PDB file of all heavy atoms in Angstrom:
ATOM      1  N   VAL U 344     106.625 -36.136 -25.981  1.00 97.00           N
ATOM      2  CA  VAL U 344     106.996 -35.212 -27.055  1.00 97.00           C
ATOM      3  C   VAL U 344     107.178 -35.971 -28.366  1.00 97.00           C
ATOM      4  O   VAL U 344     106.703 -35.548 -29.427  1.00 97.00           O
ATOM      5  CB  VAL U 344     108.278 -34.441 -26.687  1.00 97.00           C
ATOM      6  CG1 VAL U 344     108.766 -33.613 -27.875  1.00 97.00           C
ATOM      7  CG2 VAL U 344     108.039 -33.540 -25.480  1.00 97.00           C
ATOM      8  N   ALA U 345     107.857 -37.109 -28.296  1.00 96.00           N
ATOM      9  CA  ALA U 345     108.105 -37.902 -29.506  1.00 96.00           C
ATOM     10  C   ALA U 345     106.803 -38.416 -30.111  1.00 96.00           C
ATOM     11  O   ALA U 345     106.684 -38.545 -31.341  1.00 96.00           O
ATOM     12  CB  ALA U 345     109.030 -39.068 -29.175  1.00 96.00           C
ATOM     13  N   ALA U 346     105.822 -38.713 -29.274  1.00 96.00           N
ATOM     14  CA  ALA U 346     104.555 -39.265 -29.769  1.00 96.00           C
ATOM     15  C   ALA U 346     103.596 -38.185 -30.239  1.00 96.00           C
ATOM     16  O   ALA U 346     102.595 -38.492 -30.908  1.00 96.00           O
ATOM     17  CB  ALA U 346     103.897 -40.087 -28.661  1.00 96.00           C
ATOM     18  N   SER U 347     103.862 -36.949 -29.931  1.00 97.00           N
ATOM     19  CA  SER U 347     102.940 -35.869 -30.281  1.00 97.00           C
ATOM     20  C   SER U 347     103.069 -35.488 -31.753  1.00 97.00           C
ATOM     21  O   SER U 347     104.042 -35.844 -32.424  1.00 97.00           O
ATOM     22  CB  SER U 347     103.206 -34.639 -29.408  1.00 97.00           C
ATOM     23  OG  SER U 347     104.380 -33.966 -29.843  1.00 97.00           O
ATOM     24  N   ASP U 348     102.100 -34.734 -32.237  1.00 96.00           N
ATOM     25  CA  ASP U 348     102.147 -34.217 -33.604  1.00 96.00           C
ATOM     26  C   ASP U 348     102.821 -32.851 -33.665  1.00 96.00           C
ATOM     27  O   ASP U 348     102.872 -32.229 -34.723  1.00 96.00           O
ATOM     28  CB  ASP U 348     100.721 -34.102 -34.170  1.00 96.00           C
ATOM     29  CG  ASP U 348     100.067 -35.460 -34.354  1.00 96.00           C
ATOM     30  OD1 ASP U 348     100.790 -36.429 -34.652  1.00 96.00           O
ATOM     31  OD2 ASP U 348      98.831 -35.550 -34.196  1.00 96.00           O
ATOM     32  N   ALA U 349     103.319 -32.390 -32.548  1.00 97.00           N
ATOM     33  CA  ALA U 349     103.913 -31.057 -32.474  1.00 97.00           C
ATOM     34  C   ALA U 349     105.250 -30.989 -33.197  1.00 97.00           C
ATOM     35  O   ALA U 349     105.979 -31.979 -33.290  1.00 97.00           O
ATOM     36  CB  ALA U 349     104.109 -30.651 -31.007  1.00 97.00           C
ATOM     37  N   THR U 350     105.578 -29.810 -33.695  1.00 96.00           N
ATOM     38  CA  THR U 350     106.938 -29.523 -34.119  1.00 96.00           C
ATOM     39  C   THR U 350     107.766 -29.422 -32.840  1.00 96.00           C
ATOM     40  O   THR U 350     107.449 -28.623 -31.959  1.00 96.00           O
ATOM     41  CB  THR U 350     107.003 -28.190 -34.880  1.00 96.00           C
ATOM     42  OG1 THR U 350     106.202 -28.283 -36.051  1.00 96.00           O
ATOM     43  CG2 THR U 350     108.438 -27.845 -35.264  1.00 96.00           C
ATOM     44  N   SER U 351     108.783 -30.242 -32.716  1.00 97.00           N
ATOM     45  CA  SER U 351     109.526 -30.318 -31.458  1.00 97.00           C
ATOM     46  C   SER U 351     110.974 -29.886 -31.641  1.00 97.00           C
ATOM     47  O   SER U 351     111.658 -30.357 -32.545  1.00 97.00           O
ATOM     48  CB  SER U 351     109.469 -31.735 -30.883  1.00 97.00           C
ATOM     49  OG  SER U 351     109.809 -32.704 -31.860  1.00 97.00           O
ATOM     50  N   VAL U 352     111.408 -28.987 -30.780  1.00 96.00           N
ATOM     51  CA  VAL U 352     112.773 -28.476 -30.816  1.00 96.00           C
ATOM     52  C   VAL U 352     113.362 -28.679 -29.426  1.00 96.00           C
ATOM     53  O   VAL U 352     112.846 -28.148 -28.446  1.00 96.00           O
ATOM     54  CB  VAL U 352     112.812 -26.985 -31.203  1.00 96.00           C
ATOM     55  CG1 VAL U 352     114.245 -26.466 -31.198  1.00 96.00           C
ATOM     56  CG2 VAL U 352     112.171 -26.779 -32.568  1.00 96.00           C
ATOM     57  N   VAL U 353     114.440 -29.456 -29.354  1.00 95.00           N
ATOM     58  CA  VAL U 353     115.023 -29.837 -28.074  1.00 95.00           C
ATOM     59  C   VAL U 353     116.450 -29.319 -27.990  1.00 95.00           C
ATOM     60  O   VAL U 353     117.229 -29.476 -28.937  1.00 95.00           O
ATOM     61  CB  VAL U 353     114.986 -31.371 -27.903  1.00 95.00           C
ATOM     62  CG1 VAL U 353     115.730 -31.793 -26.650  1.00 95.00           C
ATOM     63  CG2 VAL U 353     113.545 -31.871 -27.855  1.00 95.00           C
ATOM     64  N   GLY U 354     116.791 -28.723 -26.854  1.00 88.00           N
ATOM     65  CA  GLY U 354     118.156 -28.275 -26.617  1.00 88.00           C
ATOM     66  C   GLY U 354     119.088 -29.461 -26.500  1.00 88.00           C
ATOM     67  O   GLY U 354     118.660 -30.589 -26.227  1.00 88.00           O
ATOM     68  N   GLY U 355     120.378 -29.220 -26.677  1.00 69.00           N
ATOM     69  CA  GLY U 355     121.336 -30.320 -26.697  1.00 69.00           C
ATOM     70  C   GLY U 355     121.744 -30.769 -25.310  1.00 69.00           C
ATOM     71  O   GLY U 355     120.955 -30.734 -24.364  1.00 69.00           O
ATOM     72  N   GLY U 356     122.997 -31.218 -25.168  1.00 73.00           N
ATOM     73  CA  GLY U 356     123.527 -31.624 -23.878  1.00 73.00           C
ATOM     74  C   GLY U 356     122.873 -32.874 -23.331  1.00 73.00           C
ATOM     75  O   GLY U 356     122.720 -33.879 -24.025  1.00 73.00           O
ATOM     76  N   ASP U 357     122.472 -32.797 -22.060  1.00 77.00           N
ATOM     77  CA  ASP U 357     121.898 -33.951 -21.378  1.00 77.00           C
ATOM     78  C   ASP U 357     120.647 -34.470 -22.074  1.00 77.00           C
ATOM     79  O   ASP U 357     120.408 -35.675 -22.135  1.00 77.00           O
ATOM     80  CB  ASP U 357     121.566 -33.603 -19.926  1.00 77.00           C
ATOM     81  CG  ASP U 357     122.807 -33.330 -19.085  1.00 77.00           C
ATOM     82  OD1 ASP U 357     123.889 -33.810 -19.473  1.00 77.00           O
ATOM     83  OD2 ASP U 357     122.691 -32.650 -18.058  1.00 77.00           O
ATOM     84  N   LEU U 358     119.835 -33.546 -22.585  1.00 85.00           N
ATOM     85  CA  LEU U 358     118.602 -33.984 -23.245  1.00 85.00           C
ATOM     86  C   LEU U 358     118.892 -34.749 -24.523  1.00 85.00           C
ATOM     87  O   LEU U 358     118.233 -35.747 -24.823  1.00 85.00           O
ATOM     88  CB  LEU U 358     117.718 -32.777 -23.556  1.00 85.00           C
ATOM     89  CG  LEU U 358     116.834 -32.266 -22.426  1.00 85.00           C
ATOM     90  CD1 LEU U 358     116.023 -31.071 -22.901  1.00 85.00           C
ATOM     91  CD2 LEU U 358     115.903 -33.358 -21.929  1.00 85.00           C
ATOM     92  N   ALA U 359     119.854 -34.281 -25.293  1.00 84.00           N
ATOM     93  CA  ALA U 359     120.216 -34.983 -26.521  1.00 84.00           C
ATOM     94  C   ALA U 359     120.693 -36.391 -26.204  1.00 84.00           C
ATOM     95  O   ALA U 359     120.343 -37.359 -26.894  1.00 84.00           O
ATOM     96  CB  ALA U 359     121.295 -34.209 -27.275  1.00 84.00           C
ATOM     97  N   ALA U 360     121.490 -36.522 -25.142  1.00 82.00           N
ATOM     98  CA  ALA U 360     121.985 -37.835 -24.734  1.00 82.00           C
ATOM     99  C   ALA U 360     120.833 -38.731 -24.286  1.00 82.00           C
ATOM    100  O   ALA U 360     120.792 -39.927 -24.599  1.00 82.00           O
ATOM    101  CB  ALA U 360     123.001 -37.683 -23.603  1.00 82.00           C
ATOM    102  N   ALA U 361     119.869 -38.151 -23.573  1.00 86.00           N
ATOM    103  CA  ALA U 361     118.711 -38.925 -23.117  1.00 86.00           C
ATOM    104  C   ALA U 361     117.882 -39.420 -24.297  1.00 86.00           C
ATOM    105  O   ALA U 361     117.456 -40.585 -24.334  1.00 86.00           O
ATOM    106  CB  ALA U 361     117.853 -38.074 -22.191  1.00 86.00           C
ATOM    107  N   LEU U 362     117.664 -38.553 -25.265  1.00 88.00           N
ATOM    108  CA  LEU U 362     116.889 -38.944 -26.445  1.00 88.00           C
ATOM    109  C   LEU U 362     117.590 -40.055 -27.220  1.00 88.00           C
ATOM    110  O   LEU U 362     116.952 -40.997 -27.697  1.00 88.00           O
ATOM    111  CB  LEU U 362     116.669 -37.738 -27.350  1.00 88.00           C
ATOM    112  CG  LEU U 362     115.720 -36.657 -26.810  1.00 88.00           C
ATOM    113  CD1 LEU U 362     115.814 -35.405 -27.657  1.00 88.00           C
ATOM    114  CD2 LEU U 362     114.287 -37.169 -26.774  1.00 88.00           C
ATOM    115  N   ALA U 363     118.914 -39.939 -27.344  1.00 86.00           N
ATOM    116  CA  ALA U 363     119.676 -40.971 -28.054  1.00 86.00           C
ATOM    117  C   ALA U 363     119.590 -42.293 -27.315  1.00 86.00           C
ATOM    118  O   ALA U 363     119.409 -43.359 -27.932  1.00 86.00           O
ATOM    119  CB  ALA U 363     121.133 -40.530 -28.202  1.00 86.00           C
ATOM    120  N   GLU U 364     119.695 -42.237 -25.991  1.00 87.00           N
ATOM    121  CA  GLU U 364     119.633 -43.451 -25.185  1.00 87.00           C
ATOM    122  C   GLU U 364     118.268 -44.129 -25.300  1.00 87.00           C
ATOM    123  O   GLU U 364     118.168 -45.357 -25.291  1.00 87.00           O
ATOM    124  CB  GLU U 364     119.922 -43.101 -23.724  1.00 87.00           C
ATOM    125  CG  GLU U 364     120.121 -44.307 -22.827  1.00 87.00           C
ATOM    126  CD  GLU U 364     120.559 -43.928 -21.427  1.00 87.00           C
ATOM    127  OE1 GLU U 364     121.191 -42.860 -21.264  1.00 87.00           O
ATOM    128  OE2 GLU U 364     120.265 -44.688 -20.487  1.00 87.00           O
ATOM    129  N   LEU U 365     117.221 -43.314 -25.437  1.00 90.00           N
ATOM    130  CA  LEU U 365     115.864 -43.848 -25.558  1.00 90.00           C
ATOM    131  C   LEU U 365     115.507 -44.210 -26.995  1.00 90.00           C
ATOM    132  O   LEU U 365     114.441 -44.777 -27.242  1.00 90.00           O
ATOM    133  CB  LEU U 365     114.856 -42.811 -25.034  1.00 90.00           C
ATOM    134  CG  LEU U 365     114.905 -42.520 -23.531  1.00 90.00           C
ATOM    135  CD1 LEU U 365     114.081 -41.279 -23.209  1.00 90.00           C
ATOM    136  CD2 LEU U 365     114.397 -43.723 -22.751  1.00 90.00           C
ATOM    137  N   GLY U 366     116.384 -43.867 -27.934  1.00 92.00           N
ATOM    138  CA  GLY U 366     116.102 -44.142 -29.341  1.00 92.00           C
ATOM    139  C   GLY U 366     115.013 -43.257 -29.912  1.00 92.00           C
ATOM    140  O   GLY U 366     114.303 -43.653 -30.851  1.00 92.00           O
ATOM    141  N   LEU U 367     114.873 -42.039 -29.382  1.00 93.00           N
ATOM    142  CA  LEU U 367     113.783 -41.151 -29.787  1.00 93.00           C
ATOM    143  C   LEU U 367     114.229 -39.975 -30.655  1.00 93.00           C
ATOM    144  O   LEU U 367     113.394 -39.186 -31.082  1.00 93.00           O
ATOM    145  CB  LEU U 367     113.078 -40.598 -28.542  1.00 93.00           C
ATOM    146  CG  LEU U 367     112.385 -41.598 -27.619  1.00 93.00           C
ATOM    147  CD1 LEU U 367     111.823 -40.887 -26.399  1.00 93.00           C
ATOM    148  CD2 LEU U 367     111.275 -42.331 -28.361  1.00 93.00           C
TER     149      LEU U 367
END
Side-chain angles (χ1 to χ4, degrees):
V344 173
S347 76
D348 293 327
T350 298
S351 50
V352 179
V353 174
D357 293 337
L358 277 180
L362 290 168
E364 190 174 333
L365 293 168
L367 297 176

